[in-house]
Amino acid sequence: NLQDALAQFPAEALRMFYLQGHYRSPLPWSDTSLVEALAMLARLMEATEVGLTLAGEGDAEATAQQLGPEATGLLTLARAFPNALAAALRDDFNTAAGLGLAFELARALNRFANLKAAKKRGGPVARVAVEALHALRPLGLLLATPEAFQAEVKQKRLAALGLTAAAIEALVAERLDARRTQDWARADQLRDSLSERGIVVMDGADGGCEWRVRLTT
């Protein structure tokens, strides 16, 4: 029932599940339906998170011209997205088409963020794209911050997977110790052990690391 679903998934994942199809079409259900919907939501959340990490100030148009085709293409998509989404919703509330446009914009934002120059100067362009994706908020999507979303995912999905944050933190800390002592074999073994539990570890340039629940399908 709905209460069980909300105990295991963020509410936005349920909304994504309902919105990915047309409201007059049958809604296929499987044991992995909400997992897949959560993964879709995570793709949008992570694109906004990546976009907000890019540095740089100034005018978005001028910055895009300086950074080249990936930047100008992203800016064009971002500026067109709110109206394109509204047009899809006016067309018999075609949420599936609207989400398709959102994922196109998210992919363009991710491609742009991977450019070396964008990491230092791409902020003005990326922020326009992030703000454009927020046009999904009236549909109940992207209401949470990326940080709050990840915290809720950890809280709910770890319990559903039969894991605890304390147990994961202990393994992550042990792996950090192994890396500090250059016991690379043990560090790799612990990373594999975490991966088998559905945990992704991301090492930082400062020697620390972050972990998240794997949401890819």
Side-chain angles (χ1 to χ4, degrees):
N1 60 35
L2 186 59
Q3 287 72 29
D4 292 336
L6 287 172
Q8 298 184 44
F9 296 91
E12 290 195 28
L14 274 71
R15 296 181 198 128
M16 177 64 79
F17 170 69
Y18 292 124
L19 293 168
Q20 65 183 300
H22 192 270
Y23 73 93
R24 285 191 289 105
S25 299
L27 192 61
W29 175 262
S30 70
D31 290 341
T32 61
S33 293
L34 289 182
V35 175
E36 292 168 351
L38 179 57
M40 293 171 66
L41 175 63
R43 285 162 53 195
L44 296 179
M45 281 287 190
E46 289 165 4
T48 66
E49 182 180 25
V50 166
L52 292 173
T53 65
L54 301 187
E57 300 295 335
D59 177 71
E61 183 70 40
T63 301
Q65 292 296 329
Q66 293 166 10
L67 293 179
E70 288 282 6
T72 55
L74 173 61
L75 193 58
T76 298
L77 276 177
R79 287 175 170 168
F81 175 69
N83 287 337
L85 174 63
L89 298 182
R90 285 194 299 269
D91 182 16
D92 197 20
F93 205 60
N94 194 341
T95 54
L99 286 175
L101 296 169
F103 286 116
E104 180 185 9
L105 177 55
R107 287 192 295 271
L109 177 52
N110 284 328
R111 286 195 303 270
F112 173 68
N114 283 330
L115 297 177
K116 185 176 180 179
K119 297 182 188 302
K120 296 181 178 180
R121 296 189 289 140
V125 178
R127 286 190 285 274
V128 173
V130 170
E131 185 60 31
L133 284 169
H134 287 167
L136 292 168
R137 285 179 167 177
L139 295 175
L141 300 178
L142 301 185
L143 296 177
T145 64
E147 295 80 10
F149 169 72
Q150 291 296 339
E152 187 176 8
V153 167
K154 286 181 179 180
Q155 174 196 350
K156 294 184 174 181
R157 295 308 298 152
L158 285 178
L161 294 170
L163 302 170
T164 66
I168 299 303
E169 291 283 3
L171 288 172
V172 170
E174 184 180 351
R175 181 175 175 274
L176 277 175
D177 286 341
R179 285 170 56 84
R180 291 190 187 104
T181 59
Q182 298 186 359
D183 187 351
W184 307 119
R186 179 58 177 159
D188 289 344
Q189 182 184 46
L190 287 164
R191 177 189 282 275
D192 292 343
S193 179
L194 287 161
S195 181
E196 290 169 2
R197 290 168 168 80
I199 303 300
V200 178
V201 179
M202 297 167 288
D203 294 317
D206 60 355
C209 72
E210 180 183 356
W211 64 271
R212 293 181 176 181
V213 180
R214 185 187 300 114
L215 298 179
T216 53
T217 57

